[in-house]
Amino acid sequence: MDLKVEGVKVEEGPAWGKTLAVPTVKEFARTAWDFIPEKYVQEYNDRPIETVLSPDETSELPIIDFSLLVKGDEAELNKLDYACKEWGFLQLINHGVAEDVLGNMKAATASFFDLPVDEKNKYAMGDSIEGYGNLFVVSEEQKLDWADSLFFITRPEEQRNMKKWPITLPGFKDAVEEYSIGMKRVTEELLAKLSLLLGMEKNSLDKQHVVMRHSMRMIYYPQCPKPELVLGCSPHSDPGSITLLLQSDDVVGLQIKHKGGWVPVTPIPNAFVVNVADALESWSNGLYKSIEHRAVANSKIARMSIGTFIQPADEAKMGPAKSIIQDRPKMYKDDIKYIDYMRNFIGMKLTGKAHTNFLKLENEY
Ligand code: OGA
Ligand code: NI
C-alpha cells in the first residue's frame, strides 16, 4: 500500500505518537550470560530487589468466577465491586474462553518471538506505536525495559492495520481472531456488570467509549542473568478502561502496588488477570482504582504475557461519567479527550502514575 496520497503522508494506525527505535532484547539476552548492558541496569532505587514488599505479601488478589457474574450472583458481584475498589486487580476464572483458544494464542505469541530478528523487524514500529519493538522510549538517555513487544489494534475490525500483524506465520491470524472474539464477549459482560455496580444503566460504560477499541500487546520477557538489576516492565498504570491479561502459567513476573508494597501475582492457569485502568477510574470518579503495576524478569525462564487493552475512542471524554450519582467532589477534569491523554502517556517514559496528573483535579480525599 502506498503511504503517500497526493504528497501528504497518511499516518497509519492511531495518532498516539511514536517511540524511539532501540535494539530488541531477546537476541542479545541469549548471549548475555552475566553481563547486563548499562542501558538496562536500573537506577538503584528503581531496582526490584530494593523495593519493600507489602506487609500482607501473602494475601492474594480476589478471584472472581465469571460464570457466577453472568448468572447475577449477588455475592460474586459484591466481590467484583470490592476487587475494583480495594485492589484494582482480580483474576477471572470460568470465563468460558476455551482452553484451546488460549493455548493457540499463547503458541502464536511464542512462534512470533521465535522468528529470526530480520523477520520480526518486518513488523517494526515506525510512524505509529503499532508493531514490534519497545514502547515508551522517549529519550536516548533513559533506562530500557528487559522485554520485547508486539502491539496492534484488533477491534473494531476496520481499524486493523494488517501490515503490523505477522499473518504469514501459520495460525497466527486465526489465533488472534478467535481470542479477540472471546475478549469481546468477556469485556461486554464485565462492563455491563460494572455499570450496574456503579449505579448506572447496563450499557453506560460501553457508551462512555463512544466506539470501543481493543488493542493487544504481546510481551516477551527473556530470562535475565541478573533480574535484580532490571525491570521487565517499568511501573505504570494502563490508560484505557480495563485490561485483560493472559500470561505464562509457570512463572511469576507481574507485581501490583497494594498497601504501599509490591504484591506478586501468582498465575492461575487459564485465568485472566483483569485490572481497572485510568479511563474507568476517572469515569467512576476514583471509586474504582487504576493501580500501578510492573513486571520483573526471571533468571531461569522466559515469560510471556498477552494484554488486551480496552480503550475509548479518540474523541471520548475522560472524567466522571454524567450518569454516575455521587455526592463526592469531582476528582478529575471532564474535558480531556482520550486522544490527548494517550498522546501524553505515549510521550513519557513509564513512571508509575505520573501520567495521570494530566487528568487530576486538586480534590483529594
Ligand atoms: C502491560 C503490563 C504486565 C505483564 O502490558 O501494560 O502491565 O505482566 N503488562 O506483562
Ligand atoms: Ni500494564
Side-chain angles (χ1 to χ4, degrees):
M1 197 167 75
D2 190 0
L3 293 185
K4 306 252 177 191
V5 178
E6 292 173 358
V8 180
K9 189 159 188 297
V10 178
E11 192 159 13
E12 288 219 329
W16 288 335
K18 296 186 206 183
T19 183
L20 297 179
V22 288
T24 48
V25 182
K26 183 171 186 266
E27 284 65 33
F28 74 74
R30 228 180 307 155
T31 56
W33 297 116
D34 56 4
F35 170 74
I36 308 286
E38 199 57 35
K39 280 242 163 215
Y40 298 87
V41 177
Q42 294 289 329
E43 303 297 348
Y44 193 77
N45 287 331
D46 295 333
R47 295 180 193 169
I49 200 78
E50 299 303 330
T51 319
V52 189
L53 284 174
S54 169
D56 65 347
E57 183 190 341
T58 51
S59 66
E60 291 285 333
L61 51 150
I63 298 168
I64 306 284
D65 185 329
F66 184 82
S67 66
L68 292 177
L69 290 181
V70 173
K71 284 189 202 141
D73 183 287
E74 198 138 337
E76 209 62 13
L77 286 165
N78 289 338
K79 215 161 126 190
L80 173 65
D81 191 50
Y82 167 84
C84 293
K85 285 176 175 160
E86 302 299 326
W87 285 84
F89 266 84
L90 56 99
Q91 300 220 56
L92 194 69
I93 58 168
N94 293 333
H95 44 65
V97 182
E99 226 173 293
D100 65 328
V101 173
L102 306 180
N104 291 343
M105 188 61 235
K106 285 182 178 174
T109 302
S111 62
F112 173 74
F113 287 108
D114 271 348
L115 288 173
V117 71
D118 289 347
E119 277 301 309
K120 287 185 282 195
N121 276 333
K122 290 183 181 162
Y123 310 96
M125 290 170 186
D127 277 351
S128 93
I129 57 169
E130 280 190 287
Y132 167 63
N134 291 279
L135 289 172
F136 314 106
V137 186
V138 296
S139 98
E140 301 290 343
E141 278 81 51
Q142 77 177 66
K143 296 295 184 183
L144 300 174
D145 286 346
W146 190 262
D148 300 328
S149 69
L150 176 66
F151 177 81
F152 50 68
I153 289 173
T154 50
R155 293 186 174 276
E157 286 184 32
E158 60 274 18
Q159 287 187 26
R160 290 179 181 176
N161 175 2
M162 297 316 291
K163 281 199 215 146
K164 299 295 184 175
W165 293 42
I167 50 174
T168 52
L169 200 58
F172 188 93
K173 183 164 181 275
D174 288 348
V176 174
E177 276 187 337
E178 284 276 321
Y179 184 74
S180 166
I181 290 166
M183 289 292 96
K184 181 169 186 289
R185 183 178 54 75
V186 173
T187 298
E188 283 170 357
E189 188 66 36
L190 276 179
L191 289 175
K193 297 301 186 216
L194 292 173
S195 299
L196 296 174
L197 287 169
L198 287 168
M200 305 193 282
E201 301 285 324
K202 194 176 164 191
N203 63 354
S204 294
L205 283 175
D206 185 354
K207 280 195 189 154
Q208 288 293 132
H209 293 76
V210 183
V211 177
M212 194 183 294
R213 193 183 238 163
H214 288 214
S215 54
M216 280 181 72
R217 182 148 87 118
M218 287 139 258
I219 308 184
Y220 183 91
Y221 299 98
Q223 68 188 90
C224 177
K226 295 199 185 316
E228 65 279 11
L229 299 182
V230 307
L231 282 170
C233 184
S234 291
H236 67 282
S237 61
D238 300 340
S241 57
I242 58 170
T243 303
L244 302 98
L245 191 88
L246 177 65
Q247 55 172 333
S248 304
D249 290 339
D250 47 359
V251 48
V252 184
L254 176 62
Q255 299 181 344
I256 70 172
K257 251 300 168 55
H258 185 67
K259 296 187 178 162
W262 292 100
V263 178
V265 177
T266 309
I268 300 174
N270 299 328
F272 299 129
V273 177
V274 176
N275 64 277
V276 174
D278 301 339
L280 177 55
E281 176 178 307
S282 77
W283 291 336
S284 74
N285 196 25
L287 235 110
Y288 289 169
K289 309 286 188 307
S290 175
I291 293 298
E292 197 175 330
H293 52 283
R294 68 182 186 187
V296 298
N298 188 288
S299 64
K300 298 196 176 62
I301 185 165
R303 171 173 176 262
M304 273 176 277
S305 73
I306 300 158
T308 302
F309 303 90
I310 311 305
Q311 300 185 302
D314 287 348
E315 69 273 23
K317 292 275 174 59
M318 308 280 279
K322 292 224 165 52
S323 52
I324 191 165
I325 300 157
Q326 280 186 5
D327 49 9
R328 323 194 310 161
K330 253 191 207 164
M331 304 256 302
Y332 305 85
K333 296 174 195 162
D334 56 12
D335 58 350
I336 306 274
K337 279 195 213 148
Y338 189 68
I339 188 169
D340 295 322
Y341 191 73
M342 270 309 274
R343 282 180 169 156
N344 175 63
F345 179 65
I346 295 296
M348 291 171 74
K349 181 187 180 314
L350 290 181
T351 29
K353 299 270 300 178
H355 66 283
T356 63
N357 291 335
F358 191 68
L359 188 63
K360 291 242 171 85
L361 288 170
E362 295 303 303
N363 297 323
E364 291 284 351
Y365 54 84

